[in-house]
């Protein structure tokens, strides 16, 4: 396929993200990458579970966590997964503007999530003196949840750079795989959050 | 390294070429050169260990320096020598074996190499910056969390950077093998080396992240005051051991499986027979990889996990001996009745069988929990894993180097030198390590810098040290062979061994696009099939047409360099301002380079049909 066909396709195929070999490679490679990420998070979860009661007489999960805030965060992130699905739907229909709109909403929801998380962390630090260094539980909590938050941050920056870079040129076979891998990534951090919510917050409050 | 290519151009442009290359064949050269360099370093460290232990109560090195040397020996050999040398062989041979023009992610391939190289250099900078890590290659907490100075910090950052590179390599090979096989190259027609590369990559993908997290925790603990392993704050030091071995045991299979592939290809080529039990070979590889994830706690029998856990892990460990045995018998059956040529590649492979089998047997011994309470942390374990790692991995690397050298460089390694190197190394290896079984059984602990006189350990240690010098001599002769071959070596055709697989169907060294026309594969050992049917060469699967190639890039080096600087920054940010600046500056270089990669289109280029036709004339 010539460069012109890749950058300026006359019609976009039904699955533009997998129309070139590079696109197919990226798609598959990213799935494998997520496989590795799963082990990454599994290791962190394992660490957290074995240290979650090691509070060294400091504040415990039960003392601090409030489910209402975390509930709102969950809603924001889950919704952002849905909006990224809309974006990909429009990508496959070659509706660039609509795709950008939904991606923008996705990013904003992500930002909302992130702000609440930052608020949450500052709250624990100022109200309870609960820090990364307070106890093994503190280290494990901030590492696990922070690692996820770091992923969200990276995702937002990634999305912003993708949107700015491609704002003027529309969809083609070169950038469609990029948008698609972003959305895979975004779903993944969403799924991880479901586990964070369950293992850290629900089990912290109830278990 | 590619002799013919560099002679024509200036040195500067050759260096630039290698700094920016995304060609898997050149990246293979880089991996082999880098891995070779670290192999020499690790080898020197090994000699220092053996000199210190040559006689009782020796004071050749101090106790502290001894700890640094053993730590760096293990870490260097595993992460910076064995792994990259294997990745080098994979890069050199695997894409050719499946009839591909490059790997799936040429850019990532280059990035993976530079991360490994700069991570390795970072780790070794510790020697000049206040002392190397000294908590053993296993870096157990709390020894590692309380070790003074910055040595262990270099271990953490160096391995973190190098490990990220390896992970990329794994993903790259997986996608290459799944998406880029030539027409007709079904999974069950892939050469065994390609199969083992595939399975090894899966192990890398699922094992390395556990190490990544372990290293993060250690880093947070040492540099940012976290308390994962600090018992006074509720921490638990055993978590490190679990994470390390969840990575560590699969790692030993990452080191051995590719070599199983090398031996399979070598045995079948030089016995002039199809590999015996091909299907069983493939499935036993898969079973080994699967079980390899279930056995990590056999390194922790003495920790106190309890009899139930110990028993389960013990039984699972012993089970691995079964698929491994299947392999040994299949190799023997491949040799059986074959028209055998014994050259250097074959010598290394033949020697592997008994050596590795001994290592497997001691493996089952140390897997027996009650007995392991005696063996653990003695020279018996040292003997065990050197029999498998040297007798398996190092022999496999030498076999693979001899086997593919002509393909990579167009010249064949000298046989007389090759055989001399082999015999010296082989004799030295058994001299060094066989006796260590008995030293261990007599109670000599590992990682002690001296032993006392007249406890029955004197002669054994002396013999062991003498053996080490034999091995060193073998390695030196191997390097002389490389230089000799580069200067005067015999030039060979594309198919010097009357080979069976696709890499032998193209020129040596191959053109940068590998296959002018993708070959049509009609079965296992595709080239051999064509030879048997009188065609002599592969049938093209496509008409001659434009070939799409990736562009060179300097960005992989820049990303790695940024992380390298940031590595120093993380290590020193608590000490001074420069550290903090390096930390942020390095990360900025890395992230901006990544951003550049993301926003700048890189579509590669085409070699036109006309150019290809002109080349043929
Ligand atoms: C039949 C196969 C094998 C079995 C049953 C086996 C079993 C074991 C056991 C139980 C230990 C722990 C001993 C102790 O610390 O007390 C051990 C250590 C070790 N094994 Fe194996 N092993 C096998 C194959 C291999 C292979 C193929 C490799 C590498 C290529 C390998 C590399 C190692 C290493 C590096 C250690 C020591 C790590 C350390 O403590 O520093 N093993 N093995
Ligand atoms: Cu093991």
């Amino acid at each position: 396929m010539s460069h012109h066909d890749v950058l300026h396709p006359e019609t976009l195929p039904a699955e533009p993200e997998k129309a070139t070999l590079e696109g197919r490679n990226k798609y598959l490679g990213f799935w494998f990458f997520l496989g590795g990420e799963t082990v990454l998070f599994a290791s962190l979860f394992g660490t957290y579970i074995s240290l979650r009661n090691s509070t060294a007489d400091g504040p415990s999960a039960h003392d601090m966590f409030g489910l209402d805030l975390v509930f709102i965060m969950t809603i924001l992130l889950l919704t952002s997964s849905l909006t990224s699905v809309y974006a990909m739907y429009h990508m496959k229909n070659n509706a660039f503007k609509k795709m950008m709109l939904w991606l923008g909403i996705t990013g904003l929801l992500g930002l909302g999530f992130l702000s609440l998380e930052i608020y949450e962390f500052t709250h624990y630090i100022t109200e309870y003196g609960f820090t990364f260094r307070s106890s093994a539980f503190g280290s494990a909590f901030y590492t696990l949840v922070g690692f996820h938050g770091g992923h969200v941050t990276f995702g937002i920056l990634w999305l912003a750079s993708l949107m700015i870079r491609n704002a003027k040129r529309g969809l083609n076979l070169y950038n469609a795989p990029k948008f698609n891998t972003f959305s895979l990534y975004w779903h993944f951090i969403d799924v991880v959050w479901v586990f964070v919510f369950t293992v850290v917050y629900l089990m912290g409050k109830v278990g | 390294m590619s002799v013919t290519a560099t002679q024509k151009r200036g040195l500067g442009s050759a260096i630039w070429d290698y700094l920016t290359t995304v060609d898997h064949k050149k990246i293979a050269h880089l991996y082999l050169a880098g891995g070779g360099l670290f192999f020499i370093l690790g080898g020197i460290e090994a000699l220092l260990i053996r000199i210190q232990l040559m006689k009782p109560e020796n004071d050749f090195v101090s106790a502290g320096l001894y700890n640094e040397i053993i730590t760096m020996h293990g870490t260097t050999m595993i992460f910076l020598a064995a792994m990259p040398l294997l990745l080098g062989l994979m890069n050199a041979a695997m894409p050719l074996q499946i009839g591909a023009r490059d790997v799936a992610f040429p850019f990532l391939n280059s990035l993976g190499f530079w991360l490994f190289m700069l991570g390795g250099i970072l780790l070794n900078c510790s020697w000049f910056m206040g002392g190397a890590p000294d908590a053993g290659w296993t870096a157990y907490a709390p020894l590692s969390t309380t070790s003074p100075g910055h040595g262990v910090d270099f271990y953490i950052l160096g391995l973190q950077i190098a490990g990220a590179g390896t992970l990329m390599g794994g993903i790259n090979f997986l996608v290459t093998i799944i998406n880029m096989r030539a027409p007709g190259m079904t999974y069950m027609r892939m050469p065994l080396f390609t199969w083992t590369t595939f399975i090894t990559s899966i192990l890398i993908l699922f094992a390395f992240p556990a190490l990544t997290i372990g290293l993060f925790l250690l880093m947070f603990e040492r540099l940012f005051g976290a308390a994962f392993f600090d018992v006074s704050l509720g921490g638990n030091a055993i978590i490190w051991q679990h994470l390390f071995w969840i990575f560590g045991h699969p790692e030993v299979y990452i080191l051995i499986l590719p070599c199983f592939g090398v031996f399979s290809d070598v045995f079948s080529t030089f016995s002039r027979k199809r590999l015996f039990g091909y299907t069983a070979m493939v499935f036993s590889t898969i079973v080994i990889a699967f079980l390899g994830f279930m056995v990590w706690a056999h390194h922790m029998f003495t920790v106190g996990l309890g009899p139930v856990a110990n028993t389960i892990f013990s039984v699972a460990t012993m089970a691995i001996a079964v698929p491994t045995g299947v392999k040994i018998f299949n190799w023997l059956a491949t040799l059986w009745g074959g028209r055998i040529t014994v050259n250097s590649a074959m010598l290394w492979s033949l020697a592997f069988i008994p050596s590795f089998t001994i290592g497997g047997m001691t493996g089952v011994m140390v897997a027996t929990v009650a007995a392991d309470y005696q063996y653990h942390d003695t020279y018996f374990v040292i003997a065990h894993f050197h029999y498998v790692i040297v007798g398996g991995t190092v022999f496999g690397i030498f076999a693979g180097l001899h086997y593919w050298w002509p393909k990579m460089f167009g010249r064949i390694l000298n046989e007389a030198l090759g055989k001399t190197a082999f015999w010296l190394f082989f004799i030295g290896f058994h001299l060094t390590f066989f006796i260590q079984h008995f030293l261990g059984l007599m109670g000599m602990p590992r990682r002690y810098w001296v032993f006392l006189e007249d406890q029955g350990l004197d002669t054994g240690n002396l013999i062991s040290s003498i053996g080490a010098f034999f091995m060193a001599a073998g390695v030196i002769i191997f390097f002389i062979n490389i230089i000799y071959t580069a200067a005067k070596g015999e030039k060979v055709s594309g198919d010097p061994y009357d080979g069976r697989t696709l890499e032998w169907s193209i020129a040596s060294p191959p053109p940068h696009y590998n296959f002018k026309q993708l070959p049509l594969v009609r079965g296992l050992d595709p080239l051999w099939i064509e030879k048997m049917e009188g065609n002599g060469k592969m049938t093209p699967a496509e008409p001659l047409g434009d070939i799409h190639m990736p562009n060179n890039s300097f960005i992989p080096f820049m990303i790695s360099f940024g992380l390298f600087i940031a590595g120093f920054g993380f290590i020193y940010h608590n000490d001074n301002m420069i550290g903090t600046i390096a930390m942020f500056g390095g990360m900025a270089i890395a992230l901006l380079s990544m951003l550049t990669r993301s926003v700048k289109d890189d579509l590669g280029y085409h070699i036109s049909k006309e150019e290809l036709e002109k080349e043929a004339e």
Side-chain angles (χ1 to χ4, degrees):
Chain A
M1 207 177 292
S2 78
H3 293 174
H4 184 84
D5 293 341
V6 173
L7 287 180
H8 309 282
E10 270 165 32
T11 55
L12 216 56
E15 291 192 319
E17 75 279 9
K18 283 182 262 180
T20 59
L21 176 63
E22 285 73 20
R24 284 192 295 280
N25 286 347
K26 191 169 269 186
Y27 182 73
L28 186 63
F30 205 77
W31 271 106
F32 282 124
F33 171 74
L34 294 182
E37 285 262 84
T38 307
V39 182
L40 226 55
F41 276 104
S43 307
L44 283 174
F45 275 110
T47 307
Y48 179 80
I49 289 171
S50 60
L51 295 177
R52 70 194 186 95
N53 295 320
S54 308
T55 53
D57 297 329
S60 70
H62 195 82
D63 301 337
M64 295 179 298
F65 295 167
L67 283 184
D68 26 5
L69 180 76
V70 187
F71 181 72
I72 301 173
M73 288 164 70
T74 308
I75 298 288
L76 287 180
L77 208 60
L78 287 183
T79 315
S80 80
S81 223
L82 184 70
T83 54
S84 80
V85 172
Y86 285 153
M88 287 309 102
Y89 169 80
H90 291 300
M91 181 186 85
K92 291 184 183 176
N93 287 330
N94 201 4
F96 180 69
K97 290 232 171 69
K98 285 186 186 154
M99 178 190 85
M100 292 292 266
L101 177 69
W102 285 110
L103 283 178
I105 297 175
T106 305
L108 288 179
L109 288 167
L111 267 181
F113 170 89
L114 207 59
S115 332
L116 289 185
E117 184 154 88
I118 292 169
Y119 167 78
E120 185 205 351
F121 283 6
T122 14
H123 179 72
Y124 295 154
I125 294 169
T126 49
E127 292 291 305
Y128 297 92
F130 175 68
T131 70
F132 186 64
R133 299 174 187 187
S134 311
S135 60
F137 164 59
S139 303
F141 169 80
Y142 284 110
T143 304
L144 171 60
V145 183
F147 209 68
H148 175 269
H151 273 72
V152 175
T153 315
F154 181 82
I156 293 172
L157 292 175
W158 180 10
L159 176 64
S161 77
L162 266 183
M163 289 178 66
I164 295 170
R165 168 66 183 95
N166 293 294
K168 293 221 180 74
R169 67 169 170 180
L171 270 174
N172 56 42
L173 299 183
Y174 185 71
N175 60 22
K178 296 188 178 215
F179 285 116
N180 192 59
T181 29
F182 166 78
S183 96
L184 280 179
Y185 175 85
W186 198 255
H187 288 315
F188 176 77
I189 35 186
D190 201 20
V191 173
V192 172
W193 178 256
V194 174
F195 284 92
V196 173
F197 179 72
T198 316
V199 172
V200 176
Y201 295 100
L202 279 186
M203 279 166 59
K205 240 6 211 185
V206 184
Chain B
M1 289 211 63
S2 95
V3 186
T4 43
T6 45
Q7 272 163 0
K8 287 185 212 121
R9 288 174 290 116
L11 184 66
S13 80
I15 292 178
W16 180 249
D17 187 32
Y18 272 98
L19 278 175
T20 58
T21 188
V22 295
D23 179 349
H24 70 96
K25 297 179 289 299
K26 288 186 180 158
I27 291 175
H29 299 168
L30 288 170
Y31 266 121
L32 295 180
L37 185 81
F38 286 120
F39 184 70
I40 295 175
L41 267 182
I44 293 172
E45 285 149 7
L47 285 177
L48 296 177
I49 298 174
R50 281 320 317 170
I51 292 174
Q52 168 65 17
L53 295 181
M54 197 149 63
K55 59 176 204 233
E57 294 190 79
N58 200 359
D59 58 359
F60 176 66
V61 293
S62 69
L65 183 58
Y66 184 80
N67 287 346
E68 294 174 28
I69 295 173
I70 56 156
T71 302
M72 286 299 280
H73 165 67
T75 313
T76 304
M77 283 303 198
I78 299 243
F79 293 98
L80 307 180
M83 297 242 1
L85 288 169
L86 292 171
L87 289 171
L89 289 177
M90 292 173 182
N91 262 305
M94 181 276 284
L96 305 181
Q97 288 197 325
I98 61 171
R101 292 208 169 103
D102 206 323
V103 290
F105 305 110
F107 179 93
L108 280 191
N109 205 9
S110 155
L111 180 57
F113 168 76
W114 289 111
L115 286 172
F116 140 66
M117 195 66 208
L118 289 170
I121 293 175
L122 177 66
L123 175 56
N124 276 280
C125 282
S126 60
W127 285 117
F128 312 103
M129 301 181 76
D134 58 359
W137 84 281
T138 47
Y140 275 15
L143 190 59
S144 56
T145 49
T146 51
S147 163
H150 280 304
V152 174
D153 302 328
F154 278 97
Y155 170 95
I156 296 169
L157 271 304
L159 288 191
Q160 193 69 288
I161 294 173
T166 308
L167 192 64
M168 285 170 199
I171 293 179
N172 190 6
F173 290 146
L174 283 173
V175 178
T176 305
I177 293 173
I178 293 175
N179 274 0
M180 298 179 65
R181 283 164 291 131
M185 178 58 82
T186 58
Y187 284 104
M188 292 310 276
R189 288 174 181 176
M190 298 193 312
L192 242 280
F193 181 68
T194 297
W195 256 112
T196 54
T197 300
F198 186 62
I199 305 291
T200 304
S201 302
I202 295 179
L203 288 179
I204 290 178
L205 176 62
F206 291 114
F208 264 76
L211 177 70
T212 307
I213 292 302
L215 291 172
F216 266 127
L217 302 189
L218 207 52
M219 170 173 155
F220 291 163
E221 182 115 353
R222 282 185 59 98
L223 298 171
F224 298 97
F228 300 103
F229 311 122
D230 181 350
V231 180
S232 66
L233 286 174
N236 179 350
I238 306 300
I239 292 175
W240 165 264
Q241 293 192 27
H242 279 294
L243 288 175
F244 185 84
W245 288 116
I246 286 173
F247 147 79
H249 190 81
E251 166 70 9
V252 307
Y253 283 99
I254 293 170
L255 293 175
I256 197 65
L257 290 182
C259 299
F260 285 176
V262 173
F263 297 129
S264 302
D265 286 7
V266 167
F267 283 139
S268 123
T269 304
F270 297 116
S271 307
R272 315 193 129 262
K273 275 174 70 184
R274 181 192 148 133
L275 185 70
F276 186 90
Y278 174 85
T279 319
M281 284 302 231
V282 170
F283 282 99
S284 57
T285 310
I286 297 173
V287 173
I288 290 177
F290 179 75
L291 288 175
F293 273 106
M294 314 283 181
V295 298
W296 77 89
H298 65 212
H299 296 272
M300 303 164 64
F301 284 152
T302 58
V303 165
L305 300 176
V308 177
N310 276 358
T311 310
I312 292 172
F313 280 101
S314 167
V315 173
T317 303
M318 292 181 188
I320 299 192
V322 177
T324 314
V326 168
K327 288 190 168 302
I328 300 278
F329 286 111
N330 277 329
W331 286 316
L332 293 177
T334 306
L335 292 165
W336 190 273
R339 286 217 330 271
I340 296 179
T341 316
V342 180
N343 52 19
S344 308
M346 194 66 165
L347 272 180
W348 287 107
S349 308
L350 290 170
F352 146 82
I353 293 185
S355 310
F356 186 83
T357 306
I358 295 173
M361 288 187 317
T362 55
V364 177
M365 289 172 73
V366 285
T368 315
V369 180
D372 189 56
Y373 270 73
Q374 293 300 316
Y375 305 135
H376 183 64
D377 263 347
T378 71
Y379 261 78
F380 192 84
V381 172
I382 306 282
H384 155 67
F385 69 72
H386 283 90
Y387 263 83
V388 279
I389 292 190
V390 180
T393 306
V394 176
F395 283 20
I397 289 169
F398 277 120
L401 286 174
H402 277 278
Y403 182 57
W404 282 304
W405 201 269
K407 181 51 56 188
M408 289 188 279
F409 300 108
R411 288 168 188 255
I412 194 160
L413 285 170
N414 180 281
E415 272 299 312
L417 287 172
K419 286 183 179 160
T420 318
F422 164 78
W423 282 110
L424 283 170
F425 194 95
F426 178 72
I427 293 168
F429 162 66
H430 285 284
L431 267 183
T432 304
F433 295 112
F434 194 71
I435 196 88
Q436 290 185 359
H437 292 111
F438 300 97
L439 291 172
L441 291 177
M442 287 187 282
M444 180 169 160
R446 65 189 284 200
R447 291 176 174 163
Y448 279 35
W449 73 300
V450 283
F451 57 94
L452 294 178
E453 207 172 344
D454 286 333
Q455 298 196 322
L457 305 174
D458 306 13
T459 322
N461 274 299
L462 181 63
I463 294 176
S464 186
S465 294
I466 294 173
F469 284 96
F470 273 83
M471 281 195 273
V475 174
I476 290 171
I477 293 191
F478 180 78
F479 278 97
I480 292 176
N481 196 356
I482 293 181
I483 298 167
Y484 174 84
T485 305
K488 293 214 179 112
E490 182 194 338
K491 289 198 175 139
V492 291
S493 71
D495 185 16
Y497 311 127
D498 197 6
R500 315 173 71 83
T501 41
L502 285 182
E503 73 266 39
W504 307 110
S505 71
I506 53 177
S508 299
H512 64 293
Y513 47 79
N514 296 351
F515 295 88
K516 192 177 281 181
Q517 290 162 287
L518 293 183
L520 179 67
V521 175
R522 298 197 294 152
L524 181 65
D525 291 348
L527 183 59
W528 192 254
I529 293 181
E530 303 299 336
K531 285 176 181 172
M532 288 302 105
E533 296 190 358
N535 304 328
K537 59 179 184 6
M538 299 306 299
T539 319
E542 56 176 13
L544 191 61
D546 291 0
I547 294 180
H548 181 234
M549 297 296 292
N551 287 328
N552 282 6
S553 172
F554 188 54
I555 297 179
F557 182 85
M558 286 305 290
I559 298 177
S560 315
F561 183 71
L563 292 175
F564 175 73
I565 299 292
F568 284 107
F570 279 111
I571 295 172
Y572 288 105
H573 80 278
N574 288 326
D575 303 359
N576 53 41
M577 220 21 225
I578 305 177
T580 315
I581 296 173
M583 182 166 80
F584 286 105
M587 286 311 288
I589 298 176
L591 287 173
L592 286 177
S593 309
M594 281 161 74
L595 185 70
T596 317
R597 168 68 183 169
S598 173
V599 299
K600 247 184 73 189
D601 287 356
D602 179 7
L603 291 143
Y605 66 98
H606 287 92
I607 310 173
S608 72
K609 189 175 155 186
E610 293 69 37
E611 277 171 80
L612 288 169
E613 276 164 351
K614 221 189 289 154
E615 233 170 74
E617 281 158 19

